Amino acid sequence: MTEQAATGTVTITLDGTNKSTTIKLIDGTIGPSVADIRKLYSDLGIFTYDPGYGGTAACDSKITYIDGDEGILLHRGYPIEQLAEQSTFLEVAHLLLNGELPNAAEKKEFEDGVMRHTMVHEQIRSMYQGFRRDAHPMAVMCGVVGALSAFYHDSLDITNPDHRRISAFRLIAKVPTIAAWAYKYSIGQPFMYPRNDLGYAENFLYMMNAVPAEPYHVNPILARAMDRIMILHADHEQNASTSTVRLSGSTGANPFACIAAGIASLWGPAHGGANEAVLKMLAEIGTVENVKPFLDQVKDKNSHSRLMGFGHRVYKNFDPRAKIMAATCHEVLGELGIKNDPMLDLAIELERIALSDDYFIARKLYPNVDFYSGIILKAMGIPTSMFTVLFAVARTVGWISQWKEMIEDPSQRIGRPRQVYTGAPQRDFVPLDKRG
Ligand code: ACO
């Protein structure tokens, strides 16, 4: 780990003993200092307790910075707004993976490097036949991405930088193909092979929508919108799925297995599954008149329901991605000639009412990236079950960048949290005939 200069120390004394320890504070480039508690157990014999890791930095990273109070998201220092407006997904991928925006030659080399790997081993096609047609495409993603390590043995040595580079290219390039095929399989259409002459997002839309029987032209405005949606989902610091990838990778597992673990973690409705859940929720609410009763239900702790697409562990202000997503939503609907989208109207009204409601104000609950993404994706003809898949396609770039950073950190150790044990104390085995 690169340790920054300590700005100070904290001394902890264990009450009732003469034991104490001095905890060093480590400064990042920006953001709060962190207390280095690694000697706490050896000095005091105690662990820290932080379920959900709300106050724990598990690694140091140079990739992404979030200021949740101010609603700021930076990738390698660049604000997300500028990247979404001026960059492309593959350029952002280069930035996340390699630390800098590419120059013209590097950009071409990187794009060619990724796009050269878009095809998957032909035997992977037959894996799809093993899934039910009505399988959720995220289930297919978990299986097929995990299986990549069975096909690409020549890039599995994680200690070899060239293997790491090729694995990163393979993952970024093949995940859209695997995703589009999961969709094609579910609707019984022929798989479309990737086209390397197209842009990254353009090729994904092509594989999703084209059929071999006729030519298909991807609308450039929709391709640009998809590219931007991918930029917005590319990385987000140490969230649940990224932490899953890092934890899996800390054991030395190969990158394909680690990304499959990340996909599984992303699937949950509290994380990447929220975009799908937002649309289901809007469909359930149905009309503007039902917004208030729905919010009353959400506020009732016994209902266990939540306003999907609202709230975030880190953002206690607007998620900057949600603002860009809302603007993109209007652009896409405009391009598609959708003047009045009842779902968008409902979402806008739901957002307006929630943002003026004391419950949401007091808890600092704002729309997150998922609130508007589903509406755009639906308008673009992407089926609801593919929303989280699309998130996984884009986030693969962040996952593999974070994995690479971890593997290249000489101080990296296996991730191994501790616990507060609250079970039975030690006791003797009871033979079957003596149990009540
Ligand atoms: N609707 C209603 N109440 C909420 C919501 C919500 N969406 N989110 C949080 N709250 C309430 C909680 O009930 C809690 O209230 P309390 O203090 O009275 O008990 C308080 O706000 C704090 O909530 P926590 O659950 O402690 O917040 P946490 O940081 O653990 O959860 C999460 C963050 C999971 C994102 C949560 O806000 C949520 O479930 N949101 C809906 C799902 C969603 O949109 N997920 C996408 C996240 S972004 C992403 O992954 C891309």
Side-chain angles (χ1 to χ4, degrees), residues 269-272 274 298 301 306-313 321 359-360 363 365 368-370 391:
H271 192 11
V298 158
K301 289 278 165 253
R306 288 201 159 183
L307 176 53
M308 300 312 286
F310 254 70
H312 197 274
R313 170 58 62 80
R321 301 168 303 170
Y359 174 94
F360 294 92
R363 289 167 181 76
L365 300 169
N368 60 48
V369 68
D370 289 320
F391 193 156

PDB file of all heavy atoms in Angstrom, residues 269-272 274 298 301 306-313 321 359-360 363 365 368-370 391, ligand 1:
ATOM      1  N   PRO A 269     -31.729  -6.718  -5.910  1.00  0.00           N
ATOM      2  CA  PRO A 269     -32.511  -5.485  -6.106  1.00  0.00           C
ATOM      3  C   PRO A 269     -31.994  -4.292  -5.314  1.00  0.00           C
ATOM      4  O   PRO A 269     -32.312  -3.151  -5.654  1.00  0.00           O
ATOM      5  CB  PRO A 269     -33.922  -5.878  -5.646  1.00  0.00           C
ATOM      6  CG  PRO A 269     -33.758  -7.098  -4.816  1.00  0.00           C
ATOM      7  CD  PRO A 269     -32.515  -7.791  -5.309  1.00  0.00           C
ATOM      8  N   ALA A 270     -31.177  -4.526  -4.274  1.00  0.00           N
ATOM      9  CA  ALA A 270     -30.614  -3.383  -3.548  1.00  0.00           C
ATOM     10  C   ALA A 270     -29.446  -2.774  -4.318  1.00  0.00           C
ATOM     11  O   ALA A 270     -28.968  -1.700  -3.989  1.00  0.00           O
ATOM     12  CB  ALA A 270     -30.143  -3.815  -2.158  1.00  0.00           C
ATOM     13  N   HIS A 271     -28.994  -3.466  -5.365  1.00  0.00           N
ATOM     14  CA  HIS A 271     -27.819  -2.995  -6.131  1.00  0.00           C
ATOM     15  C   HIS A 271     -28.243  -2.860  -7.588  1.00  0.00           C
ATOM     16  O   HIS A 271     -29.123  -2.078  -7.898  1.00  0.00           O
ATOM     17  CB  HIS A 271     -26.683  -4.003  -5.882  1.00  0.00           C
ATOM     18  CG  HIS A 271     -25.327  -3.585  -6.333  1.00  0.00           C
ATOM     19  ND1 HIS A 271     -25.009  -2.314  -6.748  1.00  0.00           N
ATOM     20  CD2 HIS A 271     -24.148  -4.294  -6.432  1.00  0.00           C
ATOM     21  CE1 HIS A 271     -23.729  -2.258  -7.082  1.00  0.00           C
ATOM     22  NE2 HIS A 271     -23.189  -3.450  -6.897  1.00  0.00           N
ATOM     23  N   GLY A 272     -27.644  -3.629  -8.484  1.00  0.00           N
ATOM     24  CA  GLY A 272     -27.906  -3.442  -9.912  1.00  0.00           C
ATOM     25  C   GLY A 272     -29.297  -3.857 -10.345  1.00  0.00           C
ATOM     26  O   GLY A 272     -29.783  -3.443 -11.406  1.00  0.00           O
ATOM     27  N   ALA A 274     -31.889  -2.868  -9.174  1.00  0.00           N
ATOM     28  CA  ALA A 274     -32.859  -1.796  -8.877  1.00  0.00           C
ATOM     29  C   ALA A 274     -33.468  -1.199 -10.148  1.00  0.00           C
ATOM     30  O   ALA A 274     -34.638  -0.800 -10.144  1.00  0.00           O
ATOM     31  CB  ALA A 274     -32.195  -0.706  -8.041  1.00  0.00           C
ATOM     32  N   VAL A 298     -44.433   2.872   1.432  1.00  0.00           N
ATOM     33  CA  VAL A 298     -42.974   2.805   1.502  1.00  0.00           C
ATOM     34  C   VAL A 298     -42.466   3.310   2.852  1.00  0.00           C
ATOM     35  O   VAL A 298     -41.491   2.793   3.412  1.00  0.00           O
ATOM     36  CB  VAL A 298     -42.392   3.647   0.332  1.00  0.00           C
ATOM     37  CG1 VAL A 298     -40.978   4.091   0.609  1.00  0.00           C
ATOM     38  CG2 VAL A 298     -42.463   2.867  -0.963  1.00  0.00           C
ATOM     39  N   LYS A 301     -42.736   1.119   8.011  1.00  0.00           N
ATOM     40  CA  LYS A 301     -41.649   0.139   8.229  1.00  0.00           C
ATOM     41  C   LYS A 301     -42.131  -1.307   8.116  1.00  0.00           C
ATOM     42  O   LYS A 301     -41.369  -2.194   7.725  1.00  0.00           O
ATOM     43  CB  LYS A 301     -41.038   0.324   9.624  1.00  0.00           C
ATOM     44  CG  LYS A 301     -40.217   1.573   9.751  1.00  0.00           C
ATOM     45  CD  LYS A 301     -38.806   1.358   9.189  1.00  0.00           C
ATOM     46  CE  LYS A 301     -38.096   2.673   8.963  1.00  0.00           C
ATOM     47  NZ  LYS A 301     -37.906   3.155   7.670  1.00  0.00           N
ATOM     48  N   ARG A 306     -39.740  -0.467  -0.576  1.00  0.00           N
ATOM     49  CA  ARG A 306     -38.893   0.723  -0.688  1.00  0.00           C
ATOM     50  C   ARG A 306     -39.193   1.446  -1.986  1.00  0.00           C
ATOM     51  O   ARG A 306     -39.680   0.843  -2.940  1.00  0.00           O
ATOM     52  CB  ARG A 306     -37.428   0.325  -0.668  1.00  0.00           C
ATOM     53  CG  ARG A 306     -37.011  -0.116   0.718  1.00  0.00           C
ATOM     54  CD  ARG A 306     -35.536  -0.034   0.934  1.00  0.00           C
ATOM     55  NE  ARG A 306     -35.277   0.007   2.367  1.00  0.00           N
ATOM     56  CZ  ARG A 306     -34.091   0.139   2.909  1.00  0.00           C
ATOM     57  NH1 ARG A 306     -33.046   0.254   2.144  1.00  0.00           N
ATOM     58  NH2 ARG A 306     -33.948   0.182   4.217  1.00  0.00           N
ATOM     59  N   LEU A 307     -38.884   2.719  -1.992  1.00  0.00           N
ATOM     60  CA  LEU A 307     -38.995   3.468  -3.233  1.00  0.00           C
ATOM     61  C   LEU A 307     -37.755   3.127  -4.047  1.00  0.00           C
ATOM     62  O   LEU A 307     -36.642   3.594  -3.758  1.00  0.00           O
ATOM     63  CB  LEU A 307     -39.073   4.969  -2.925  1.00  0.00           C
ATOM     64  CG  LEU A 307     -39.108   5.908  -4.124  1.00  0.00           C
ATOM     65  CD1 LEU A 307     -40.205   5.537  -5.114  1.00  0.00           C
ATOM     66  CD2 LEU A 307     -39.311   7.340  -3.656  1.00  0.00           C
ATOM     67  N   MET A 308     -37.924   2.260  -5.030  1.00  0.00           N
ATOM     68  CA  MET A 308     -36.767   1.774  -5.789  1.00  0.00           C
ATOM     69  C   MET A 308     -36.205   2.915  -6.644  1.00  0.00           C
ATOM     70  O   MET A 308     -36.948   3.737  -7.165  1.00  0.00           O
ATOM     71  CB  MET A 308     -37.156   0.582  -6.669  1.00  0.00           C
ATOM     72  CG  MET A 308     -37.701  -0.605  -5.889  1.00  0.00           C
ATOM     73  SD  MET A 308     -36.698  -1.072  -4.458  1.00  0.00           S
ATOM     74  CE  MET A 308     -35.299  -1.853  -5.226  1.00  0.00           C
ATOM     75  N   GLY A 309     -34.862   2.926  -6.768  1.00  0.00           N
ATOM     76  CA  GLY A 309     -34.221   4.002  -7.514  1.00  0.00           C
ATOM     77  C   GLY A 309     -33.990   5.231  -6.654  1.00  0.00           C
ATOM     78  O   GLY A 309     -33.550   6.270  -7.147  1.00  0.00           O
ATOM     79  N   PHE A 310     -34.287   5.105  -5.354  1.00  0.00           N
ATOM     80  CA  PHE A 310     -34.055   6.201  -4.412  1.00  0.00           C
ATOM     81  C   PHE A 310     -33.135   5.720  -3.306  1.00  0.00           C
ATOM     82  O   PHE A 310     -33.229   4.573  -2.863  1.00  0.00           O
ATOM     83  CB  PHE A 310     -35.380   6.661  -3.775  1.00  0.00           C
ATOM     84  CG  PHE A 310     -35.864   7.971  -4.322  1.00  0.00           C
ATOM     85  CD1 PHE A 310     -36.334   8.055  -5.620  1.00  0.00           C
ATOM     86  CD2 PHE A 310     -35.853   9.118  -3.537  1.00  0.00           C
ATOM     87  CE1 PHE A 310     -36.786   9.257  -6.139  1.00  0.00           C
ATOM     88  CE2 PHE A 310     -36.303  10.325  -4.048  1.00  0.00           C
ATOM     89  CZ  PHE A 310     -36.773  10.406  -5.344  1.00  0.00           C
ATOM     90  N   GLY A 311     -32.286   6.615  -2.833  1.00  0.00           N
ATOM     91  CA  GLY A 311     -31.422   6.294  -1.709  1.00  0.00           C
ATOM     92  C   GLY A 311     -30.118   5.691  -2.182  1.00  0.00           C
ATOM     93  O   GLY A 311     -30.042   5.100  -3.276  1.00  0.00           O
ATOM     94  N   HIS A 312     -29.092   5.882  -1.383  1.00  0.00           N
ATOM     95  CA  HIS A 312     -27.784   5.347  -1.723  1.00  0.00           C
ATOM     96  C   HIS A 312     -26.944   5.323  -0.466  1.00  0.00           C
ATOM     97  O   HIS A 312     -27.060   6.215   0.370  1.00  0.00           O
ATOM     98  CB  HIS A 312     -27.102   6.228  -2.783  1.00  0.00           C
ATOM     99  CG  HIS A 312     -25.973   5.560  -3.463  1.00  0.00           C
ATOM    100  ND1 HIS A 312     -24.696   5.572  -2.948  1.00  0.00           N
ATOM    101  CD2 HIS A 312     -25.927   4.832  -4.596  1.00  0.00           C
ATOM    102  CE1 HIS A 312     -23.917   4.886  -3.755  1.00  0.00           C
ATOM    103  NE2 HIS A 312     -24.631   4.422  -4.755  1.00  0.00           N
ATOM    104  N   ARG A 313     -26.113   4.287  -0.328  1.00  0.00           N
ATOM    105  CA  ARG A 313     -25.254   4.193   0.846  1.00  0.00           C
ATOM    106  C   ARG A 313     -24.323   5.396   0.960  1.00  0.00           C
ATOM    107  O   ARG A 313     -24.061   5.903   2.045  1.00  0.00           O
ATOM    108  CB  ARG A 313     -24.453   2.888   0.785  1.00  0.00           C
ATOM    109  CG  ARG A 313     -23.343   2.755   1.798  1.00  0.00           C
ATOM    110  CD  ARG A 313     -23.829   2.877   3.249  1.00  0.00           C
ATOM    111  NE  ARG A 313     -24.758   1.863   3.623  1.00  0.00           N
ATOM    112  CZ  ARG A 313     -24.422   0.607   3.969  1.00  0.00           C
ATOM    113  NH1 ARG A 313     -23.165   0.262   4.029  1.00  0.00           N
ATOM    114  NH2 ARG A 313     -25.351  -0.257   4.286  1.00  0.00           N
ATOM    115  N   ARG A 321     -25.030  10.933 -11.452  1.00  0.00           N
ATOM    116  CA  ARG A 321     -25.370  10.108 -12.616  1.00  0.00           C
ATOM    117  C   ARG A 321     -26.861  10.179 -12.911  1.00  0.00           C
ATOM    118  O   ARG A 321     -27.293  10.075 -14.058  1.00  0.00           O
ATOM    119  CB  ARG A 321     -24.964   8.650 -12.356  1.00  0.00           C
ATOM    120  CG  ARG A 321     -23.488   8.469 -12.078  1.00  0.00           C
ATOM    121  CD  ARG A 321     -23.194   7.086 -11.544  1.00  0.00           C
ATOM    122  NE  ARG A 321     -23.942   6.789 -10.333  1.00  0.00           N
ATOM    123  CZ  ARG A 321     -24.020   5.597  -9.755  1.00  0.00           C
ATOM    124  NH1 ARG A 321     -23.387   4.578 -10.299  1.00  0.00           N
ATOM    125  NH2 ARG A 321     -24.720   5.419  -8.657  1.00  0.00           N
ATOM    126  N   TYR A 359     -40.115  12.577   5.068  1.00  0.00           N
ATOM    127  CA  TYR A 359     -39.469  11.276   5.288  1.00  0.00           C
ATOM    128  C   TYR A 359     -38.190  11.198   4.457  1.00  0.00           C
ATOM    129  O   TYR A 359     -37.119  10.828   4.947  1.00  0.00           O
ATOM    130  CB  TYR A 359     -40.432  10.151   4.883  1.00  0.00           C
ATOM    131  CG  TYR A 359     -39.827   8.762   4.926  1.00  0.00           C
ATOM    132  CD1 TYR A 359     -39.964   7.961   6.058  1.00  0.00           C
ATOM    133  CD2 TYR A 359     -39.140   8.238   3.833  1.00  0.00           C
ATOM    134  CE1 TYR A 359     -39.413   6.682   6.105  1.00  0.00           C
ATOM    135  CE2 TYR A 359     -38.586   6.970   3.869  1.00  0.00           C
ATOM    136  CZ  TYR A 359     -38.731   6.191   4.996  1.00  0.00           C
ATOM    137  OH  TYR A 359     -38.181   4.932   5.038  1.00  0.00           O
ATOM    138  N   PHE A 360     -38.294  11.542   3.165  1.00  0.00           N
ATOM    139  CA  PHE A 360     -37.146  11.426   2.267  1.00  0.00           C
ATOM    140  C   PHE A 360     -36.137  12.546   2.519  1.00  0.00           C
ATOM    141  O   PHE A 360     -34.924  12.323   2.434  1.00  0.00           O
ATOM    142  CB  PHE A 360     -37.625  11.426   0.801  1.00  0.00           C
ATOM    143  CG  PHE A 360     -38.429  10.199   0.494  1.00  0.00           C
ATOM    144  CD1 PHE A 360     -39.814  10.190   0.632  1.00  0.00           C
ATOM    145  CD2 PHE A 360     -37.805   9.029   0.103  1.00  0.00           C
ATOM    146  CE1 PHE A 360     -40.557   9.053   0.385  1.00  0.00           C
ATOM    147  CE2 PHE A 360     -38.533   7.879  -0.147  1.00  0.00           C
ATOM    148  CZ  PHE A 360     -39.909   7.891  -0.004  1.00  0.00           C
ATOM    149  N   ARG A 363     -34.043  11.729   5.681  1.00  0.00           N
ATOM    150  CA  ARG A 363     -33.088  10.624   5.481  1.00  0.00           C
ATOM    151  C   ARG A 363     -32.145  10.870   4.305  1.00  0.00           C
ATOM    152  O   ARG A 363     -31.370  10.001   3.931  1.00  0.00           O
ATOM    153  CB  ARG A 363     -33.862   9.317   5.257  1.00  0.00           C
ATOM    154  CG  ARG A 363     -34.532   8.827   6.533  1.00  0.00           C
ATOM    155  CD  ARG A 363     -35.535   7.735   6.270  1.00  0.00           C
ATOM    156  NE  ARG A 363     -36.188   7.293   7.488  1.00  0.00           N
ATOM    157  CZ  ARG A 363     -37.153   7.981   8.113  1.00  0.00           C
ATOM    158  NH1 ARG A 363     -37.582   9.142   7.613  1.00  0.00           N
ATOM    159  NH2 ARG A 363     -37.691   7.523   9.225  1.00  0.00           N
ATOM    160  N   LEU A 365     -32.682  11.032   1.098  1.00  0.00           N
ATOM    161  CA  LEU A 365     -32.880  10.039   0.035  1.00  0.00           C
ATOM    162  C   LEU A 365     -33.174  10.759  -1.281  1.00  0.00           C
ATOM    163  O   LEU A 365     -34.171  11.484  -1.384  1.00  0.00           O
ATOM    164  CB  LEU A 365     -34.034   9.099   0.401  1.00  0.00           C
ATOM    165  CG  LEU A 365     -33.871   8.296   1.696  1.00  0.00           C
ATOM    166  CD1 LEU A 365     -35.171   7.612   2.089  1.00  0.00           C
ATOM    167  CD2 LEU A 365     -32.759   7.269   1.548  1.00  0.00           C
ATOM    168  N   ASN A 368     -31.268   7.802  -7.435  1.00  0.00           N
ATOM    169  CA  ASN A 368     -29.951   7.289  -7.822  1.00  0.00           C
ATOM    170  C   ASN A 368     -29.951   6.963  -9.321  1.00  0.00           C
ATOM    171  O   ASN A 368     -30.955   7.170 -10.005  1.00  0.00           O
ATOM    172  CB  ASN A 368     -29.559   6.087  -6.940  1.00  0.00           C
ATOM    173  CG  ASN A 368     -30.548   4.935  -7.041  1.00  0.00           C
ATOM    174  OD1 ASN A 368     -30.916   4.536  -8.147  1.00  0.00           O
ATOM    175  ND2 ASN A 368     -30.982   4.406  -5.913  1.00  0.00           N
ATOM    176  N   VAL A 369     -28.851   6.441  -9.805  1.00  0.00           N
ATOM    177  CA  VAL A 369     -28.670   6.235 -11.252  1.00  0.00           C
ATOM    178  C   VAL A 369     -29.781   5.367 -11.860  1.00  0.00           C
ATOM    179  O   VAL A 369     -30.119   5.491 -13.043  1.00  0.00           O
ATOM    180  CB  VAL A 369     -27.277   5.620 -11.540  1.00  0.00           C
ATOM    181  CG1 VAL A 369     -27.171   4.198 -11.015  1.00  0.00           C
ATOM    182  CG2 VAL A 369     -26.911   5.670 -12.996  1.00  0.00           C
ATOM    183  N   ASP A 370     -30.354   4.510 -11.032  1.00  0.00           N
ATOM    184  CA  ASP A 370     -31.327   3.553 -11.565  1.00  0.00           C
ATOM    185  C   ASP A 370     -32.712   4.143 -11.765  1.00  0.00           C
ATOM    186  O   ASP A 370     -33.564   3.522 -12.400  1.00  0.00           O
ATOM    187  CB  ASP A 370     -31.440   2.348 -10.623  1.00  0.00           C
ATOM    188  CG  ASP A 370     -30.199   1.496 -10.679  1.00  0.00           C
ATOM    189  OD1 ASP A 370     -29.683   1.324 -11.792  1.00  0.00           O
ATOM    190  OD2 ASP A 370     -29.749   1.028  -9.628  1.00  0.00           O
ATOM    191  N   PHE A 391     -26.147  -3.194 -17.130  1.00  0.00           N
ATOM    192  CA  PHE A 391     -25.337  -2.640 -16.039  1.00  0.00           C
ATOM    193  C   PHE A 391     -24.071  -3.491 -15.885  1.00  0.00           C
ATOM    194  O   PHE A 391     -22.948  -2.969 -15.784  1.00  0.00           O
ATOM    195  CB  PHE A 391     -26.195  -2.677 -14.762  1.00  0.00           C
ATOM    196  CG  PHE A 391     -25.697  -1.901 -13.582  1.00  0.00           C
ATOM    197  CD1 PHE A 391     -26.595  -1.460 -12.604  1.00  0.00           C
ATOM    198  CD2 PHE A 391     -24.352  -1.612 -13.408  1.00  0.00           C
ATOM    199  CE1 PHE A 391     -26.165  -0.757 -11.501  1.00  0.00           C
ATOM    200  CE2 PHE A 391     -23.910  -0.903 -12.297  1.00  0.00           C
ATOM    201  CZ  PHE A 391     -24.813  -0.483 -11.333  1.00  0.00           C
TER     202      PHE A 391
HETATM  203  N1  ACO B   1     -37.258   3.880   0.218  1.00  0.00           N
HETATM  204  C1  ACO B   1     -37.719   4.110   1.477  1.00  0.00           C
HETATM  205  N2  ACO B   1     -36.925   4.231   2.561  1.00  0.00           N
HETATM  206  C2  ACO B   1     -35.604   4.114   2.364  1.00  0.00           C
HETATM  207  C3  ACO B   1     -35.049   3.869   1.084  1.00  0.00           C
HETATM  208  C4  ACO B   1     -35.939   3.764  -0.010  1.00  0.00           C
HETATM  209  N3  ACO B   1     -35.477   3.547  -1.253  1.00  0.00           N
HETATM  210  N4  ACO B   1     -33.715   3.785   1.194  1.00  0.00           N
HETATM  211  C5  ACO B   1     -33.430   3.962   2.495  1.00  0.00           C
HETATM  212  N5  ACO B   1     -34.567   4.164   3.204  1.00  0.00           N
HETATM  213  C6  ACO B   1     -34.677   4.467   4.635  1.00  0.00           C
HETATM  214  C7  ACO B   1     -34.464   3.235   5.488  1.00  0.00           C
HETATM  215  O1  ACO B   1     -35.685   2.580   5.742  1.00  0.00           O
HETATM  216  C8  ACO B   1     -33.844   3.826   6.733  1.00  0.00           C
HETATM  217  O2  ACO B   1     -34.883   4.423   7.479  1.00  0.00           O
HETATM  218  P1  ACO B   1     -34.803   4.454   9.107  1.00  0.00           P
HETATM  219  O3  ACO B   1     -33.606   5.296   9.435  1.00  0.00           O
HETATM  220  O4  ACO B   1     -36.102   5.061   9.541  1.00  0.00           O
HETATM  221  O5  ACO B   1     -34.650   3.021   9.549  1.00  0.00           O
HETATM  222  C9  ACO B   1     -32.960   4.951   6.193  1.00  0.00           C
HETATM  223  O6  ACO B   1     -33.590   5.370   4.959  1.00  0.00           O
HETATM  224  C10 ACO B   1     -31.526   4.536   5.920  1.00  0.00           C
HETATM  225  O7  ACO B   1     -31.562   3.387   5.064  1.00  0.00           O
HETATM  226  P2  ACO B   1     -30.508   2.215   5.077  1.00  0.00           P
HETATM  227  O8  ACO B   1     -31.171   0.975   4.627  1.00  0.00           O
HETATM  228  O9  ACO B   1     -29.765   2.197   6.362  1.00  0.00           O
HETATM  229  O10 ACO B   1     -29.518   2.715   3.954  1.00  0.00           O
HETATM  230  P3  ACO B   1     -28.423   1.840   3.245  1.00  0.00           P
HETATM  231  O11 ACO B   1     -27.292   2.748   2.976  1.00  0.00           O
HETATM  232  O12 ACO B   1     -28.141   0.598   4.000  1.00  0.00           O
HETATM  233  O13 ACO B   1     -29.146   1.406   1.878  1.00  0.00           O
HETATM  234  C11 ACO B   1     -29.809   1.324  -0.382  1.00  0.00           C
HETATM  235  C12 ACO B   1     -28.848   1.960   0.644  1.00  0.00           C
HETATM  236  C13 ACO B   1     -29.677  -0.195  -0.321  1.00  0.00           C
HETATM  237  C14 ACO B   1     -29.397   1.779  -1.773  1.00  0.00           C
HETATM  238  C15 ACO B   1     -31.252   1.766  -0.055  1.00  0.00           C
HETATM  239  O14 ACO B   1     -31.362   3.166  -0.131  1.00  0.00           O
HETATM  240  C16 ACO B   1     -32.281   1.095  -0.959  1.00  0.00           C
HETATM  241  O15 ACO B   1     -32.702  -0.026  -0.699  1.00  0.00           O
HETATM  242  N6  ACO B   1     -32.712   1.787  -2.082  1.00  0.00           N
HETATM  243  C17 ACO B   1     -33.641   1.210  -3.001  1.00  0.00           C
HETATM  244  C18 ACO B   1     -32.910   0.252  -3.927  1.00  0.00           C
HETATM  245  C19 ACO B   1     -32.068   0.991  -4.938  1.00  0.00           C
HETATM  246  O16 ACO B   1     -32.481   1.931  -5.596  1.00  0.00           O
HETATM  247  N7  ACO B   1     -30.833   0.497  -5.092  1.00  0.00           N
HETATM  248  C20 ACO B   1     -29.878   1.044  -6.059  1.00  0.00           C
HETATM  249  C21 ACO B   1     -28.706   1.608  -5.361  1.00  0.00           C
HETATM  250  S1  ACO B   1     -27.641   2.404  -6.510  1.00  0.00           S
HETATM  251  C22 ACO B   1     -26.858   1.134  -7.295  1.00  0.00           C
HETATM  252  O17 ACO B   1     -26.612   0.073  -6.812  1.00  0.00           O
HETATM  253  C23 ACO B   1     -26.525   1.416  -8.652  1.00  0.00           C
END
